[in-house]
Each structure stands twice: as C-alpha cells, then as structure tokens.
Amino acid sequence: MEDSCGLITPQRLPVPLQSVEVQVDVMDHVATVVSTLLYQNKEKKHIETVFVFPMPSEAAICHFSAKVGQTLIVAEVKEKNQVSLGRDYDDVLSSGQRAFLMEKSDQRPDIFSINVGSLPPGESASIRVEYVTELDVQADEALRFCLPAVLNPRYQPAGQISLVTSVPSSLVPYDLSFLARVQSARLISKVESNCTMDPLEYLSQDQTAASVKLAAGHKFDRDVELLIYYKDTHEPSAVVEAGWYPEKQCTLMGDSAVMLSLYPEFPDMSTSIGEFVCLLDRSGSMSGDRLDTLLFLLKSLPLGCYFNIYSFGSSFEQIFPKSVEYKQKTMEEALKKVEKMQADLDGTEILAPLKHIYSQSCIPNQPRQLFVFTDGEVANTKEVINLVKSNSGSQSRCFSFGIGGGASTALINGLAKEGGGYAQFITGSDQMESKVIQSLRFAMQPSVVDISVKWDLPKGVSATVLSPPLTCIFQGQRSLLYAQLTGQNKEAAEGCVTVKYSLAGRPTENKLNFSLKPTEDTGLTVHRLAARSLIRSLEQGQGGRRGQIDDAKKKKIIDLSVQSGVRSSFTAFIAVNKTSGEAIQGPLLRIPLPKISYVQFYNEELDGSCVLCPEECGGPRSREEQGPLLELVSLQTASGCWELEPAFAKAVGKTSKDLENNRPSNVSYKSMWATILALVWLHGLKADAKDEWELLVMKAVTWLQSQNASGLAECVEAANSLLGCSVQKNALGI
C-alpha cells in the first residue's frame, strides 16, 4: 500500500506495525477508548515519523504518548502561542530530541496527524492514544461502537478511488487484542459483533456490568463493530460523575458533571406531505443489493408527496429535471432508472449536486427532506457541511447515511446535525433497509419547535448547561445533554429535568428525575465530553467564524482546554519528555496530512463486486437471489395495494390457481384479496423484517380503509388458511 494511516514517514511510507491492543470502557451511552500500537523501524537508518489516524468526529482525545526506547514523551495541552520556537527542527532532531504536535484538519476533522520525530534503526515506538466518544443508537436500539482499522485512508476529490476497509487476514502481519467493559444502570441484554468474540462475561449479579473480548488470534483485517443492547434503552436516564479533586471547585473538572440521555415521547403524527430527495453515491459503496434499499424507500413514500433521485460520483445525474408528484407512473419511471444504475461514477464529488439541489426552489407546503447516501470519504467535509447548514430549517432537513466501515463520521454526523436530521451508519451485515425506513419515519414527523430544558435542583445546587440548545428532536431519538453541577445539598439527593417543546401547535413536556449521587469509578469520561461540547460551542462563535471570538471567550476556551486536556483551535498537544521532565524545545513541524492515493480492489469480471470482501461490498444480484420479500415489495403499487397477478402469486409461494380457488366467494374485489394476502404473509412469515416493511403496511392499511369494502374478516381467515399463518385481523390494523 503506497499510503496509509498509522505511523508513516513524511514520504507516506508505512512503518511496520507489530501489534495493536485496545481497551474500551463503556459507561451508559459513552465510551473511553485506549489504543496501544507498537511499531518498529526495520530500516538501517533513522526515519522521521508522523502518526496519522482516523477517529469519530464526536470524539475528544484526552491522552497521547510515545515511548521510543527508554524515553517516554507525553503530550500536554498548551496554548499555541506559548510554545517556544527556538532552534530549527533539523537541529532538534540531530541533537537526539523529539518534537511532535497534534494537528486536526479543518476539512477532515476525523483525521488527526501527529509529528512523532526521529525513530532510530531497529528501534520500536509504542504509541498510546486515549479518547472519549458518544455511542450512536441504532434502529433496533443497540448502541454502536466502531473501531476503524488503523490503515484506513480517506477519499480525496478529483477522481481517486476509495479503498475498502477489509483486507485478507493473510496480508495482516499483526494481531489485535481487544477488550470491552460495559457498565450501565440498566441490565445489559447482550453484546454482538461483526467479529468472533468470546462469550459475554457478567461482572455483577444484576447484569449491569460485563466484559467481552475478541477471540484469540484475531487479525485486524476489518473495522471492529460492537453492538450493545440494554434493557429499556429508550428510557431517559442520567449519569452523575464526580469531579477531579486536584481541581478547584466551581470549575468544570472540579465540580460534578451530569450527562442526560433524553428520549422525548410524543404521539405519532406522521405526515403525507413533503419533498423527498435522495442523493445517492455511485462511486462504489452503493453497488449490488444496497441499491435495492431505494426500492423500499420509494415504495414507502406516501401518496401526495413529491420526490426526486440524484446520483453522483465525479459528476452527478438526476432522474427528473425537478421533483415530481409521487404516483404510480412516476414511481415506476424512477424504479426503472434505479434498476439500471451501476456503481460506475468514480469519485465522491458531493458538493456540486448539493449546490444544485439547494438551488431548486422549495415546493410550497412540501418541506424538503434530503436523504444522502455516501461512503463519506471526501476532503472538503467542512465546505459540504456549511452548505447544508446554510440551507437548513423547518422547511428543509438532511438525513445522512454512511455506507461501509470507512465512512467519515465527521461528514455523516455533520450533515445530520447541521441539517436538522438524523445520521445512520451501515456496515457489514447491517440491515440497511430498516435504518433507512427509520429515518424516513423521522422525516415524516413534523418539526418540533420551541424546545426548552428546565432544571429543578435542591437549594444550594445549580446547573450550568454545557451542551448547545436542542434544536431538533424525533420520536424515538436520543439526545445527550451535559451540565456542570455546582454546590452541595446533603438533605436532598434528587434533581429533575423537564424538556418542553411544541409539536403541531400542541405544547408538550417530559420529565426525568435523577439521583445527584455520583456514580463510582467512572473516570472523567463525562467531564471530557462535556468540555468538548462546550469548547465546540464557544469556538463556533457568532456565525461560526473563529475571527469573531473575542479575547474573553478565547481565554475561556484555552483555560477549559488546558484544564480538561481536550484540544481546541487555540491549543495543541505539546511534547514533554517525562524521562527528563523537560519540555521538548524547537519549532513544531507541521507536516501536511498526506494526500492518500488508493488502489482499486475491484474485479471487473464480478461486475463491480469487491475481490477482497465480496460479501460486504456485494455486486448486482437478481431479485430471485434476494428472496420473496423484495419481490413482494416491488409489486406494491404507489397507492399501497397489491394486484392479483402471477408474479404476486410466486412471491407469496403459491400459484395463481391457488389464489383464485381460495378467494372468499363474497369478495369480488381482487386487489383487496391480494392486499390482505400480502399483509398476512408479511405479519405471519416476515415478522423479523418488520422494521423494513412497516411503512409499506401502513400504506396498504390506509388504502384498504379508503375502499370501505366488506368481507375483510373473511379474507383474513382465508389468507391464514392458505398461507399456514394465524394472524389476527386486529393485528393488521384494519
């Protein structure tokens, strides 16, 4: 591989990696991740080294150290303009000293670069990185942690090809040691992974603490994904973390901090209006069965809405000149064009199609809901996110989907956050359809406005909110809020938080009562994430421009960054030689982030499927191979009903004669009979895929109700008899 992340030279050549050891401590909805990577210089000369690595955009680095031989160098957060520039960097290296500076790319905020300095021949470098991060909630309420493979490049615009995030284990010369410890106030139901794991070991009788390891000998040949399931994950909760005693009280690190996990509940008020625009990556990540997800999405759209589909790579295309009304004719036209799509547009140039979409006038009374599907590997992340931010509001939201383990969390999360939508990540064997339909449900919900958070605390205790104000919430979506708790009250041990908002003109509120007693042995995870949240809010300033930050705010950012150990735009990780106790002198060398070039791991004979991971990337498959569920979905009309035709009979595993002979004698309406058969088949035989077909069924039920036809009960009974099911009529919602 010509270029890679990990420890590399300024010429972008990799330093051989010997081993990787990772420990993850999960507390409720957040995690502390400690990675130790061992490298060795196998050259016969000194080499200069730079450590480049990807990490979640929502993460906060809180420790970095490098041990070279007997010398331990630890990074400490310092104000940038306090760093002594001293001698030339070359002089520092020739004297045997090492200088390094951690830098974060403004355009690619999930890529970090650290100058480590000179590595003698035969010498090993042990690098330890610690960061804290929030965990995403999936459609099935699992909390998702993803450890990206260290050699994880990112896409650069202008025609380069993205690299898959899975390679043959025979090509990986090192093993990964991985341990995850989970702690929560809730019962831990199970932990799943895309890699082979040892059995889950509970560490407490009430099953609120557990640990799990990767099986011995695991090769770090792909991203490691962990899915954690709690009982009652959707219930709101609070974690109070004790302050760090060396710090003074009335400071963030000295006081207690609280993390609130809020799940506001409100009635399902799905709407049938909206302009639904899909922006689809055709650079490779959406090949094969991933394109079939569009079938579920298109079939789930409500009558009366408007829609359009764009696809992009190094250029972009659109199905209709402008968004059209959703009906049978336009749906069929769109599906025909989608079926012909190939992952044949090299590159991931997303900015141009976004500009075109936003240049189109919004349709009156049809809020625009933008769905972006991409592998997320772009270098102009900041520019893309700013464009979405400038066009967001109650009449325009953006829902993003990261495809594959290498998707940029900065891009995917940024699009959703600034676009008032929701972010989803689809990797490995994830059921993409269920996640897309979940976001469609969110998009069909009206915007929640006038959101406020009120604290009710004992006398002598006050809360300072550190998170940005809530601007959007959805039914079933989690929101994390951080606050600093100042003062003490020995008599009262409980606090209360009330979230108020307005939905469709109706005021609503949700309350959460929580204990003020700090959770034991939590470290400083909550404090550091709270500090990261506040630093980012302060850095944005008015209009989000650094130049508009006044001196007082800048000083607050610097003080908070130094105190918490979380880097800001005005601070940097500066090297301190812990062996001698002296700070490393010399100018800080800023080696540019490498412009990574890529190798194309695709076999043209497989029509675009990936040679190294064909099961993950997939290739075009026939509907027959994909099973009857997709076949049945493809036959539903835009209105929501099914027609009694040979293809329908085949999809439900029967013949046309079977369907005709078993149709109740008093039911002459063939579409009604076919639609009831489809509903019974889905509920009775495909209940495990409910997240995928639920909106389709809602459309079908709405259509049945609009017919005011008799004989529904007889149809359900006959359908159960024919299909061998036992679905009750009331379970169908009719």
Side-chain angles (χ1 to χ4, degrees):
M1 188 185 307
E2 185 182 74
D3 296 293
S4 65
C5 289
L7 194 64
I8 61 177
T9 69
Q11 293 74 35
R12 304 162 194 165
L13 298 175
V15 179
L17 177 62
Q18 305 298 301
S19 66
V20 183
E21 182 179 336
V22 178
Q23 180 172 310
V24 182
D25 286 295
V26 177
M27 181 180 62
D28 203 53
H29 287 72
V30 297
T32 298
V33 185
V34 179
S35 298
T36 304
L37 303 100
L38 183 64
Y39 296 89
Q40 185 179 23
N41 178 11
K42 295 187 177 182
E43 301 293 328
K44 296 181 179 180
K45 60 181 180 179
H46 283 70
I47 57 175
E48 303 311 314
T49 57
V50 183
F51 188 56
V52 180
F53 65 106
M55 60 182 298
S57 65
E58 296 302 310
I61 293 181
C62 51
H63 176 88
F64 176 85
S65 62
K67 187 173 183 180
V68 182
Q70 299 301 312
T71 302
L72 175 63
I73 301 173
V74 178
E76 295 182 355
V77 176
K78 303 287 185 181
E79 183 179 356
K80 286 183 179 179
N81 62 12
Q82 290 182 350
V83 178
S84 172
L85 296 182
R87 297 167 291 167
D88 290 339
Y89 185 73
D90 290 339
D91 293 338
V92 176
L93 296 178
S94 63
S95 66
Q97 299 190 58
R98 298 178 181 86
F100 59 82
L101 167 68
M102 177 176 292
E103 283 296 296
K104 182 176 180 179
S105 167
D106 287 335
Q107 286 297 325
R108 299 185 297 166
D110 58 345
I111 295 291
F112 289 80
S113 176
I114 307 166
N115 304 324
V116 178
S118 177
L119 186 61
E123 191 72 84
S124 295
S126 177
I127 293 178
R128 185 177 186 270
V129 182
E130 179 179 345
Y131 65 87
V132 290
T133 187
E134 298 175 357
L135 301 181
D136 293 322
V137 181
Q138 306 301 290
D140 60 355
E141 297 186 348
L143 294 176
R144 176 181 180 270
F145 169 78
C146 183
L147 178 70
V150 175
L151 307 180
N152 189 16
R154 291 284 186 253
Y155 173 81
Q156 297 284 323
Q160 292 153 336
I161 302 168
S162 62
L163 178 68
V164 296
T165 57
S166 174
V167 298
S169 59
S170 60
L171 299 182
V172 180
Y174 53 86
D175 293 337
L176 168 66
S177 172
F178 180 91
L179 168 66
R181 298 184 299 195
V182 184
Q183 181 179 354
S184 174
R186 304 176 177 89
L187 182 147
I188 303 166
S189 300
K190 60 180 178 178
V191 177
E192 297 180 346
S193 176
N194 62 331
C195 303
T196 305
M197 309 288 289
D198 289 342
L200 182 68
E201 180 182 354
Y202 286 105
L203 306 178
S204 62
Q205 291 186 346
D206 58 2
Q207 297 185 353
T208 59
S211 67
V212 66
K213 295 180 180 179
L214 274 178
H218 176 82
K219 295 289 187 180
F220 203 177
D221 57 346
R222 63 183 59 236
D223 291 357
V224 177
E225 183 183 65
L226 215 60
L227 296 176
I228 302 166
Y229 294 83
Y230 296 140
K231 182 180 180 182
D232 300 326
T233 305
H234 63 282
E235 293 293 331
S237 64
V239 173
V240 178
E241 184 178 80
W244 191 35
Y245 293 110
E247 291 290 339
K248 297 179 181 179
Q249 289 189 345
C250 299
T251 64
L252 172 56
M253 302 306 290
D255 286 335
S256 293
V258 60
M259 175 183 67
L260 304 177
S261 304
L262 302 177
Y263 287 82
E265 295 288 334
F266 48 83
D268 187 1
M269 302 180 65
S270 297
T271 176
S272 61
I273 63 173
E275 178 195 6
F276 298 89
V277 179
C278 295
L279 181 56
L280 178 67
D281 188 345
R282 283 173 58 189
S283 63
S285 63
M286 289 295 291
S287 61
D289 60 323
R290 301 205 189 279
L291 286 175
D292 294 328
T293 301
L294 277 182
L295 173 66
F296 279 84
L297 181 59
L298 285 173
K299 293 288 184 175
S300 299
L301 292 178
L303 280 176
C305 74
Y306 286 75
F307 79 106
N308 204 350
I309 299 174
Y310 290 75
S311 58
F312 70 96
S314 54
S315 59
F316 71 90
E317 302 172 0
Q318 60 198 92
I319 289 183
F320 303 108
K322 62 179 181 179
S323 294
V324 297
E325 185 178 354
Y326 178 77
K327 50 189 176 183
Q328 187 66 24
K329 181 181 178 181
T330 55
M331 183 193 73
E332 289 179 350
E333 184 178 349
L335 285 173
K336 287 180 181 178
K337 293 182 178 179
V338 167
E339 288 177 350
K340 295 179 181 179
M341 284 184 180
Q342 299 282 334
D344 54 1
L345 297 180
D346 291 339
T348 310
E349 303 284 359
I350 191 174
L351 189 61
L354 278 175
K355 287 181 176 179
H356 180 80
I357 290 170
Y358 286 127
S359 71
Q360 306 295 306
S361 300
C362 289
I363 301 172
N365 302 316
Q366 300 281 352
R368 178 176 290 159
Q369 315 292 342
L370 176 61
F371 286 67
V372 178
F373 300 84
T374 179
D375 58 14
E377 297 177 345
V378 301
N380 55 345
T381 300
K382 187 176 181 180
E383 189 177 0
V384 171
I385 292 174
N386 285 341
L387 176 64
V388 172
K389 180 179 180 180
S390 64
N391 287 278
S392 65
S394 61
Q395 296 302 307
S396 181
R397 295 186 290 190
C398 179
F399 297 82
S400 55
F401 302 86
I403 312 300
S408 166
T409 56
L411 178 66
I412 303 305
N413 287 328
L415 288 174
K417 180 179 179 180
E418 301 299 344
Y422 192 73
Q424 301 268 24
F425 290 88
I426 298 100
T427 61
S429 59
D430 278 353
Q431 292 300 314
M432 186 172 176
E433 289 82 2
S434 63
K435 294 189 175 185
V436 172
I437 298 304
Q438 181 194 38
S439 288
L440 178 58
R441 275 185 166 278
F442 289 165
M444 292 171 64
Q445 295 175 13
S447 296
V448 175
V449 297
D450 300 329
I451 306 172
S452 65
V453 179
K454 180 183 178 182
W455 297 76
D456 184 9
L457 300 172
K459 184 178 180 180
V461 180
S462 62
T464 302
V465 179
L466 307 174
S467 301
L470 284 175
T471 57
C472 63
I473 54 177
F474 301 100
Q475 172 72 15
Q477 180 199 19
R478 178 206 68 184
S479 296
L480 292 183
L481 296 181
Y482 300 95
Q484 175 183 342
L485 299 177
T486 304
Q488 296 180 347
N489 188 304
K490 297 181 180 180
E491 296 180 0
E494 277 201 352
C496 178
V497 169
T498 303
V499 181
K500 295 183 178 181
Y501 48 88
S502 179
L503 178 67
R506 181 188 306 169
T508 309
E509 68 175 44
N510 297 127
K511 289 187 175 181
L512 168 63
N513 295 301
F514 64 96
S515 172
L516 293 173
K517 183 180 179 181
T519 304
E520 296 181 357
D521 300 327
T522 59
L524 293 171
T525 306
V526 172
H527 281 76
R528 284 169 172 149
L529 286 171
R532 178 217 59 182
S533 179
L534 181 56
I535 287 172
R536 289 188 177 182
S537 296
L538 293 172
E539 284 178 335
Q540 289 178 354
Q542 186 177 357
R545 297 179 182 177
R546 186 182 303 176
Q548 294 177 327
I549 298 177
D550 57 33
D551 290 340
K553 185 176 290 185
K554 177 180 177 181
K555 184 180 184 304
K556 186 175 182 179
I557 292 173
I558 293 171
D559 291 345
L560 182 60
S561 176
V562 172
Q563 181 190 139
S564 64
V566 175
R567 198 192 68 87
S568 72
S569 57
F570 302 109
T571 57
F573 281 99
I574 307 302
V576 175
N577 188 328
K578 289 297 182 180
T579 305
S580 65
E582 298 178 354
I584 301 298
Q585 299 298 313
L588 300 169
L589 177 66
R590 289 176 173 84
I591 297 179
L593 289 176
K595 293 183 178 180
I596 300 169
S597 59
Y598 300 101
V599 181
Q600 186 175 17
F601 286 108
Y602 291 95
N603 185 336
E604 295 180 358
E605 295 180 359
L606 295 178
D607 298 323
S609 63
C610 175
V611 175
L612 300 186
C613 54
E615 293 182 358
E616 179 176 353
C617 294
R621 297 185 300 169
S622 69
R623 287 243 172 90
E624 184 177 358
E625 291 174 323
Q626 291 165 334
L629 175 59
L630 186 62
E631 192 70 39
L632 185 69
V633 170
S634 70
L635 297 173
Q636 188 183 31
T637 67
S639 64
C641 72
W642 278 267
E643 302 292 344
L644 207 61
E645 54 183 316
F648 175 83
K650 180 181 177 181
V652 296
K654 301 297 177 182
T655 65
S656 296
K657 185 176 181 180
D658 291 333
L659 302 189
E660 284 291 350
N661 291 343
N662 286 272
R663 177 161 53 95
S665 58
N666 63 335
V667 176
S668 58
Y669 201 1
K670 294 184 178 181
S671 295
M672 186 181 79
W673 168 230
T675 302
I676 292 293
L677 275 168
L679 295 183
V680 170
W681 188 87
L682 289 169
H683 280 274
L685 302 177
K686 293 295 178 181
D688 58 339
K690 184 178 180 181
D691 290 339
E692 301 172 30
W693 53 250
E694 194 166 16
L695 289 181
L696 303 172
V697 166
M698 290 174 60
K699 280 179 64 174
V701 169
T702 299
W703 179 85
L704 284 170
Q705 293 172 341
S706 69
Q707 304 306 304
N708 295 318
S710 58
L712 292 180
E714 291 84 350
C715 282
V716 173
E717 184 178 351
N720 276 316
S721 177
L722 175 61
L723 299 174
C725 300
S726 56
V727 179
Q728 299 298 313
K729 177 175 175 290
N730 57 1
L732 300 179
I734 57 177

